[in-house]
Amino acid sequence: MRKVSICLSLCAAILACVPLAPLLFAGTESLSELRLRRTAVPRFTLDQAVLTALQRNADIQKARQEIERTKGLYIAMRAEILPKIEMTGQFQDIDPHLQVNHGGPEITASATPTPTPGATATPVGTSGFNFSSVERSYNVRLEATQVLFAGGRIVSQIRAANFTRDGSYFAFRNAIDTVVATVKQQFYQVLLNRELIQVQEESVKLLQSQLQDQQNRFEAGTVPRFNVLQAQVALSNQYPLLIAAQNNYRISLLQLAKTLGLDFAPERAGQPPLEAIGQLQDRPRHIPLPMAIELAKERRPFLKQQKAVVLSNAEQVRVARSTYFPQVSAFGGTEARSSSLSDNPRDVSTGYIFGATGTWAIWDWGATYGAVKQARAVLEESKITLDDANRQVELEVQQQDSNLKQSAELVKATEQSVGQAEEALRLASARLSAGAGTQLEVLNSRVEVTQAQSNRLQALYNYNTALAEFDRVTATEVVYSNELDEPNTRQKVKSDAKPTPAPKPSPLELNHAGNRPPVQTTTRTTRTTTSGK
């Protein structure tokens, strides 16, 4: 003990001599660095923005909780097919004053009532105005209940809950695809607005230089004052466009921050919520339209969700039809009951309990028939919805393919127009310097250059957003590899992960919609070997 106390005292003396502030949690940030990091604007690339949205976006989080809810629903439905064990108990304590009969008629437990006045007690459970002489009584029952036959109701409920859980999983995947496409579009909007600010700033600088040149020429007496006024008006008209571009940039940043799930930081009040890193680029991509439609039909979680709804509604028909059959349950257990003639708590009677209960709605005035009819109507509606969903996917793919082609053509056209407008501006400026042109030609050429640059940026934005939407409708942006990819194809839960299986035909007739065969893709692998001497 003495050695331990000496060691502790020595350690305390060393810590007292050494400054603690720079050594607390070695490797962590200092207070000034921490404040600087909190006030610094976070920077995001496109990939970082997508990953942040996958972690913090509210729609994805709600979809994830919906999966948990349907898991609980499946567990609750599955519990009905398993035996239930319940323990019930009862304790009763009666005030002794209630055991006294105040002159009223009495009925005892004997076969022939005796009119003898007095306080005569009857056992618990008999009728009369007096009560048992036992003040305290109790009983404890342990009972197990098992459903023997329910007309297929419980099995169908479990299957329906299973399909509902699959539908929530596919809804989660659909939410991910939607959020990824939304983040891309908003990220591209931020890049577009930032580039438009640069275009407007460059235009303002050129107009300022044009105004200064005209003022110098006016002071030299080579041009009239009208030229100076024209340059001033052109510069004044350019400022509102610059202010609007700056406001659009701030708004687009706030919208992107909301999609990413970023909270407002008071220490960064007045600063942008984030900074986007990247530029609008032309990334050519082309997928043949028939293959794109096949990919969408094979991978879109939206269709898989609708198919899960159809299968769940088919099980609901069986649930409604189960009422035509009897419902039989069995129970068994043991019970301990206190004596009705003694207050001794150890005077207990025990024994087993066994029995069965059953109900059968022989005639219910068409209630079961009506429930089955409703369930079948809901099933047919879901089939129609699935058929329409297939057509909706085909429409979306064709629309985005057309938008993608249009945007690609606009990018090429605007690139040529920018070069032509810049060349026209150069010639107009040279003509004005040589005295052969007018200032109005230069100002018009400047406006055309700004318009051409804005059109080119807008075309790049349209192409990138159309590409992001095309990836969403064809389900080619995020590829899921898991064992469960189609409803009603679940294997063992604890088996190893396998490649995504091809879609299997539904066991139901889906209004002749059918399922197309999966897209056949081939992969070439090139192996390069190098030999060293």
Side-chain angles (χ1 to χ4, degrees):
M1 293 296 296
R2 185 176 182 181
K3 292 182 179 180
V4 173
S5 60
I6 293 175
C7 292
L8 292 176
S9 302
L10 182 60
C11 292
I14 294 175
L15 292 176
C17 298
V18 179
L20 294 180
L23 293 180
L24 278 176
F25 304 101
T28 59
E29 298 173 325
S30 63
L31 183 60
S32 60
E33 292 176 348
L34 182 60
R35 290 178 178 175
L36 180 62
R37 184 176 63 83
R38 288 182 177 179
T39 56
V41 177
R43 309 177 67 187
F44 292 93
T45 62
L46 179 58
D47 294 338
Q48 292 173 346
V50 170
L51 293 177
T52 303
L54 294 179
Q55 298 174 357
R56 303 174 62 92
N57 184 265
D59 294 336
I60 294 180
Q61 292 179 358
K62 288 188 291 185
R64 184 181 292 112
Q65 293 303 318
E66 182 65 17
I67 293 178
E68 297 299 325
R69 185 191 71 83
T70 54
K71 284 183 179 179
L73 175 64
Y74 173 76
I75 294 173
M77 294 295 103
R78 186 183 60 183
E80 293 192 17
I81 204 172
L82 302 175
K84 298 180 179 61
I85 301 177
E86 297 180 352
M87 175 178 287
T88 58
Q90 182 181 3
F91 175 78
Q92 185 177 16
D93 189 356
I94 302 176
D95 193 332
H97 295 84
L98 298 178
Q99 305 290 340
V100 180
N101 186 11
H102 297 281
E106 62 178 18
I107 302 175
T108 62
S110 59
T112 304
T114 57
T116 304
T120 304
T122 59
V124 176
T126 60
S127 59
F129 294 96
N130 54 355
F131 299 90
S132 171
S133 61
V134 178
E135 297 180 4
R136 296 177 181 87
S137 61
Y138 67 90
N139 67 329
V140 179
R141 173 180 292 190
L142 181 63
E143 184 178 272
T145 306
Q146 174 65 54
V147 177
L148 299 181
F149 182 76
R153 175 181 58 86
I154 299 179
V155 176
S156 298
Q157 286 179 343
I158 294 175
R159 291 177 179 174
N162 193 14
F163 290 131
T164 303
R165 181 179 60 173
D166 293 346
S168 65
Y169 165 72
F170 294 123
F172 174 70
R173 283 174 43 170
N174 190 37
I176 290 178
D177 293 344
T178 303
V179 169
V180 169
T182 303
V183 169
K184 284 189 171 185
Q185 294 173 2
Q186 293 181 353
F187 193 89
Y188 294 143
Q189 184 69 50
V190 171
L191 298 181
L192 171 65
N193 293 334
R194 188 179 63 188
E195 295 292 335
L196 290 177
I197 290 176
Q198 296 179 1
V199 170
Q200 299 298 332
E201 289 178 347
E202 182 181 355
S203 181
V204 167
K205 291 180 181 179
L206 290 176
L207 290 175
Q208 287 176 348
S209 63
Q210 184 70 22
L211 175 61
Q212 185 65 35
D213 178 70
Q214 294 301 315
Q215 287 178 345
N216 294 337
R217 290 174 182 269
F218 172 73
E219 293 173 357
T222 57
V223 296
R225 181 169 177 76
F226 176 74
N227 289 13
V228 177
L229 293 177
Q230 272 190 329
Q232 290 177 346
V233 170
L235 179 60
S236 299
N237 291 336
Q238 195 65 34
Y239 278 122
L241 300 178
L242 175 60
I243 295 173
Q246 292 173 346
N247 182 66
N248 293 336
Y249 177 66
R250 290 192 295 267
I251 296 299
S252 61
L253 285 175
L254 295 175
Q255 292 176 347
L256 179 59
K258 191 265 181 185
T259 304
L260 299 184
L262 302 181
D263 299 327
F264 174 74
E267 59 271 10
R268 293 199 304 268
Q271 298 182 359
L274 57 91
E275 179 182 354
I277 303 175
Q279 294 180 350
L280 293 174
Q281 298 178 354
D282 181 12
R283 299 172 297 171
R285 184 194 303 179
H286 177 67
I287 300 178
L289 183 59
M291 179 177 292
I293 294 178
E294 293 296 331
L295 286 174
K297 284 182 169 292
E298 179 181 345
R299 298 181 179 180
R300 280 290 295 271
F302 170 67
L303 294 179
K304 302 178 188 296
Q305 181 184 3
Q306 295 298 326
K307 188 179 295 184
V309 171
V310 172
L311 297 173
S312 178
N313 290 336
E315 297 298 333
Q316 293 297 337
V317 173
R318 298 185 178 93
V319 172
R321 195 169 53 196
S322 65
T323 315
Y324 284 127
F325 304 95
Q327 314 288 316
V328 181
S329 300
F331 62 91
T334 181
E335 182 176 355
R337 183 182 303 173
S338 63
S339 175
S340 60
L341 302 176
S342 172
D343 287 332
N344 186 2
R346 296 183 179 180
D347 191 0
V348 182
S349 301
T350 60
Y352 69 88
I353 300 173
F354 179 77
T357 60
T359 58
W360 193 357
I362 298 177
W363 181 256
D364 58 1
W365 298 97
T368 303
Y369 173 78
V372 173
K373 191 176 184 62
Q374 295 179 34
R376 286 178 176 172
V378 173
L379 174 61
E380 293 300 323
E381 289 178 4
S382 61
K383 290 181 181 180
I384 297 173
T385 303
L386 177 59
D387 292 339
D388 187 67
N390 281 274
R391 290 187 288 269
Q392 179 66 27
V393 168
E394 294 176 354
L395 174 63
E396 291 178 355
V397 173
Q398 294 179 77
Q399 285 181 338
Q400 297 308 319
D401 181 75
S402 179
N403 293 337
L404 195 60
K405 293 178 180 178
Q406 177 190 7
S407 301
E409 294 175 357
L410 287 176
V411 168
K412 295 180 180 179
T414 53
E415 287 178 353
Q416 297 177 358
S417 64
V418 168
Q420 295 171 355
E422 291 176 349
E423 180 64 18
L425 176 61
R426 187 187 66 81
L427 294 177
S429 300
R431 284 168 54 85
L432 179 63
S433 300
T438 62
Q439 184 189 11
L440 182 60
E441 294 178 353
V442 177
L443 294 178
N444 291 336
S445 299
R446 177 66 255 171
V447 172
E448 291 176 356
V449 169
T450 303
Q451 186 65 34
Q453 292 176 347
S454 300
N455 291 340
R456 178 179 177 275
L457 292 174
Q458 187 68 39
L460 286 174
Y461 166 76
N462 292 338
Y463 177 79
N464 284 274
T465 54
L467 186 60
E469 190 66 14
F470 182 80
D471 292 341
R472 184 191 70 83
V473 299
T474 56
T476 55
E477 175 62 28
V478 182
V479 180
Y480 302 90
S481 178
N482 53 8
E483 186 179 352
L484 177 60
D485 196 40
E486 275 287 316
N488 206 22
T489 60
R490 183 188 297 274
Q491 303 295 331
K492 294 182 179 179
V493 177
K494 297 184 179 180
S495 61
D496 297 334
K498 299 178 181 178
T500 302
K504 297 182 179 180
S506 171
L508 300 176
E509 184 181 357
L510 305 179
N511 295 340
H512 306 287
N515 294 320
R516 300 187 179 183
V519 178
Q520 300 295 334
T521 58
T522 57
T523 304
R524 295 182 179 179
T525 304
T526 303
R527 178 177 297 176
T528 303
T529 59
T530 57
S531 59
K533 297 183 179 180

